[in-house]
């Protein structure tokens, strides 16, 4: 679970949620980044430094006010990072402050459930009143909370995590994304290395399905982004995996590693596949998998040994650090590629629309000219 969302669910103390609403120029965090503030603690971060210190001061001053005051419920503040805060980012950041109410349980439960199911949600927050937030999906369909305000346009741009909207009465609203983690790792093996990797990924923006037939091997304390699958047929999970899932195989059995590898390499769309082992193990597996009909092009997609080059330590924590860094590189590269593809598609659609408008205008001119000639006759 996202750190701020998890903290809201577990902290009973009065709290203020701070959201980076907009960033003009360079800022320490991106729009949509959040921090939860109580009188004594901070959860998550909007980037640290002087900006975070000022935001914390404002949030705690709100907590000290009577709840009945609007200033204790909502704030929307502009921070020039260079002139007023002395941060070298130099941009301008707008922060939204909201008191998290005790009666927001239904809305938060809905948000948590959708996040765990991998579903994107959008929060609509009134910045000039204390109205409870609403939830909708990416299509603008209302999910929970007050209805969408009359006269407020539905302007959900999924490529932009935050929008500040203004209704006909001049009231401001924050439309704020709560997007599910895209990266999904299916990890097979609950031994020392598997457990170390799961621990290392506890606070990372990903979902983990942790698989082993030995139920007693799993930790009793799991991060919110981890789902355990204790099963004697782990290959069935591979068959059902969503396209783009990443796989990491490090079980206690070479025979099981080989069986799982075969199932993974037969999938048409794999995000990444890593297999723990030496170069010798790789050579043996390649020979056996070729005999089972796995083509060389697919075998080239199998990462074995795993981890970043130049890190040779065998301790579970060292292996975990190396593999997690490797996965982050893969996922970020994939995200950049997706953004580029999206930009290409949008550019093509824009060009086609422009051509269509141009053709329509030309046709309209031809019709007008024809009418003019007919009128002369």
């Amino acid at each position: 679970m996202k750190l701020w969302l998890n903290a809201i669910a577990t902290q009973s103390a009065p709290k203020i949620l701070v959201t980076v609403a907009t960033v003009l120029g360079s800022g320490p965090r991106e729009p949509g980044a959040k921090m939860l503030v109580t009188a004594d603690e901070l959860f998550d971060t909007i980037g640290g430094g002087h900006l975070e210190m000022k935001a914390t001061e404002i949030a705690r001053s709100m907590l000290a006010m009577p709840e009945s005051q609007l200033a204790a419920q909502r704030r929307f503040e502009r921070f020039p990072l260079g002139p007023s805060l002395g941060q070298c980012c130099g941009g301008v950041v707008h922060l939204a402050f909201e008191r998290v109410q005790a009666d927001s349980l239904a809305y938060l439960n809905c948000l948590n459930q959708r996040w765990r199911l991998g579903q994107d949600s959008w929060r609509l927050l009134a910045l000039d009143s204390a109205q409870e937030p609403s939830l909708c999906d990416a299509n603008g369909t209302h999910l929970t909370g007050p209805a969408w305000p009359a006269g407020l346009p539905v302007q959900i741009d999924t490529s932009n995590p935050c929008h500040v909207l203004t209704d006909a009465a001049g009231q401001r609203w924050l439309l704020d994304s709560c997007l599910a983690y895209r990266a999904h790792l299916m990890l097979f093996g609950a031994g020392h290395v598997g457990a170390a990797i799961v621990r290392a990924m506890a606070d990372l923006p990903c979902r983990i399905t942790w698989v082993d037939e030995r139920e007693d091997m799993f930790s009793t304390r799991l991060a919110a982004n981890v789902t355990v699958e204790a099963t004697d047929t782990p290959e069935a999970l591979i068959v059902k995996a969503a396209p783009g899932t990443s796989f990491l195989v490090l079980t206690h059995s070479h025979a099981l590693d080989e069986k799982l590898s075969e199932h993974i390499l037969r999938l048409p769309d794999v995000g990444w596949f890593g297999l723990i082992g030496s170069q010798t193990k790789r050579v043996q597996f390649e020979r056996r998998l070729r005999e089972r009909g796995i083509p060389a092009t697919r075998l080239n997609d199998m990462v074995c040994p795993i981890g970043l080059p130049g890190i040779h330590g065998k301790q579970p924590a060292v292996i975990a650090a190396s593999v997690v860094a490797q996965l982050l590189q893969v996922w970020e590269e994939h995200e950049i590629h997706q953004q580029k593809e999206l930009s290409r598609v949008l550019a093509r659609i824009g060009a086609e629309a422009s051509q269509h408008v141009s053709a329509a205008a030309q046709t309209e001119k031809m019709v007008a000219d024809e009418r003019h000639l007919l009128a002369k006759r």
Side-chain angles (χ1 to χ4, degrees):
M1 189 184 295
K2 297 176 186 290
L3 295 182
W4 64 269
L5 191 52
N6 188 43
I8 286 178
T10 57
Q11 298 297 313
S12 58
K15 41 196 168 283
I16 301 291
L17 183 63
V18 185
T19 301
V20 178
T22 64
V23 179
L24 303 175
S26 178
R29 285 294 304 273
E30 70 285 355
K34 293 179 177 60
M35 171 178 72
L36 193 74
V37 183
T38 70
D40 303 310
E41 296 184 271
L42 299 178
F43 302 90
D44 226 324
T45 178
I46 57 169
H50 202 182
L51 174 66
E52 187 162 296
M53 184 185 75
K54 293 294 292 182
T56 303
E57 290 174 356
I58 292 172
R60 287 181 173 154
S61 72
M62 292 172 66
L63 290 172
M65 298 176 184
E67 285 190 38
S68 58
Q69 295 183 15
L70 179 59
Q73 298 288 334
R74 298 286 192 274
R75 294 277 291 272
F76 189 63
E77 299 287 343
R78 178 181 182 272
F79 296 89
L81 299 180
S84 63
L85 298 182
Q87 293 192 208
C88 59
C89 299
V92 176
V93 174
H94 285 87
L95 299 181
F97 297 78
E98 61 181 290
R99 183 183 287 262
V100 180
Q101 302 286 25
D103 59 0
S104 299
L105 188 60
Y107 137 73
L108 291 170
N109 284 343
C110 179
L111 185 57
N112 281 335
Q113 183 180 23
R114 288 179 59 79
W115 185 86
R116 288 181 178 278
L117 293 174
Q119 298 170 340
D120 294 341
S121 304
W122 290 74
R123 302 184 323 127
L124 183 66
L125 176 73
L127 296 175
D128 298 310
S129 74
Q131 179 174 298
E132 178 189 352
S134 301
L135 276 187
C136 62
D137 63 16
N139 297 318
T141 303
H142 177 260
L143 300 171
T144 188
W148 195 276
L152 186 68
V154 180
Q155 299 175 351
I156 298 179
D157 175 4
T158 55
S159 66
N160 184 359
C162 280
H163 316 263
V164 177
L165 308 177
T166 304
D167 63 20
Q171 298 295 298
R172 296 169 300 175
W173 302 79
L174 177 68
L175 187 57
D176 168 40
S177 64
C178 297
L179 306 181
Y181 292 151
R182 298 296 185 260
H184 179 206
L185 174 66
M186 193 169 285
L187 188 155
F188 297 88
H192 295 299
V193 175
I197 290 173
V198 169
R199 286 195 299 270
M201 302 184 80
D203 293 333
L204 297 182
C206 64
R207 293 179 294 124
I208 304 165
T209 303
W210 196 9
V211 188
D212 202 301
E213 73 272 21
R214 303 166 296 172
E215 192 166 1
D216 60 326
M217 293 290 290
F218 294 109
S219 171
T220 55
R221 298 182 63 185
L222 294 172
N225 64 342
V226 180
T227 301
V228 161
E229 290 282 354
T231 175
D232 293 327
T233 57
E235 62 277 8
L237 296 172
I238 296 173
V239 174
K240 297 178 190 176
T245 299
S246 298
F247 297 90
L248 185 55
V249 174
L250 28 79
T251 78
H252 60 290
S253 163
H254 275 215
L256 180 57
D257 283 356
E258 186 178 322
K259 180 168 74 169
L260 296 174
S261 298
E262 180 181 352
H263 278 82
I264 292 167
L265 291 171
R266 291 193 187 281
L267 291 178
D269 186 358
V270 173
W272 180 84
F273 167 39
L275 170 69
I276 197 168
S278 63
Q279 187 63 34
T280 301
K281 179 178 179 179
R282 180 188 182 98
V283 170
Q284 292 175 346
F285 272 45
E286 283 184 340
R287 176 175 54 80
R288 294 170 185 169
L289 290 168
R290 275 197 301 268
E291 291 172 355
R292 288 174 169 79
I294 302 297
T297 52
R298 294 296 291 125
L299 290 172
N300 290 338
D301 294 332
M302 180 174 70
V303 178
C304 179
I306 54 175
L308 295 179
I311 299 177
H312 306 293
K314 302 298 183 184
Q315 302 96 317
V318 173
I319 296 173
S322 180
V323 172
V324 169
Q326 185 177 33
L327 277 165
L328 287 175
Q329 285 183 338
V330 170
W331 289 337
E332 289 197 6
E333 183 178 348
H334 179 67
E335 186 175 343
I336 291 170
H337 175 73
Q338 283 187 319
Q339 290 173 349
K340 287 181 178 178
E341 285 299 311
L342 177 61
S343 297
R344 289 193 193 99
V345 170
L346 292 176
R348 190 186 74 243
I349 293 172
E352 290 173 353
S354 177
Q355 290 174 359
H356 178 72
V357 170
S358 177
Q362 187 175 3
T363 301
E364 187 176 343
K365 182 178 183 303
M366 290 172 62
V367 170
D369 290 346
E370 187 68 24
R371 285 175 179 166
H372 182 66
L373 289 171
L374 288 172
K376 279 187 174 182
R377 291 173 189 169

